[in-house]
Amino acid sequence: MTRARAWHRFGGMLLFFIRFFPQRLLSRGWGWLARRELPPVLQARINRGFARFFAVDLSEAERRPEEYCSLSAFFVRRLRKGVRDWPSDHRVLASPA
């Protein structure tokens, strides 16, 4: 089984089981875990794994994934200037995320 297929299968099973968990508890637990600052070597692996799993374009970020102290910090990372343009037309509804 390829790595991508294994991740897809794991993700499907995870989504199946998540629906049985209390959503508020799951959200608070995930938030707590995402804010933990782990040893840099471990944090780098987690950040890169998150980026790979969710197909994050790492070339857009100001810093490398290893430079973020937590998954939460990586999640709200700043982008390099000029990577994404903001519409100049005031009639356009835009969202930064």
Side-chain angles (χ1 to χ4, degrees):
M1 179 181 305
T2 65
R3 180 180 274 180
R5 190 173 182 93
W7 271 109
H8 182 72
R9 180 180 237 178
F10 172 74
M13 288 188 301
L14 185 63
L15 289 176
F16 174 79
F17 287 110
I18 282 177
R19 66 182 176 168
F20 297 110
F21 281 80
Q23 294 301 302
R24 186 179 181 117
L25 179 64
L26 187 64
S27 179
R28 287 183 183 270
W30 179 255
W32 179 86
L33 188 61
R35 287 187 301 275
R36 296 305 93 187
E37 294 185 15
L38 302 172
V41 173
L42 181 57
Q43 191 63 56
R45 291 185 62 110
I46 290 171
N47 293 348
R48 286 204 172 273
F50 180 89
R52 186 173 43 253
F53 187 78
F54 290 104
V56 174
D57 185 355
L58 297 175
S59 69
E60 293 181 335
E62 277 186 345
R63 303 182 319 192
R64 298 186 333 255
E66 299 82 25
E67 297 178 45
Y68 295 95
C69 62
S70 69
L71 186 57
S72 183
F74 177 71
F75 186 77
V76 296
R77 70 199 168 279
R78 294 180 62 97
L79 301 180
R80 288 185 297 112
K81 294 225 184 269
V83 174
R84 295 187 190 170
D85 295 326
W86 195 258
S88 58
D89 187 349
H90 70 279
R91 296 171 294 170
V92 173
L93 178 63
S95 172

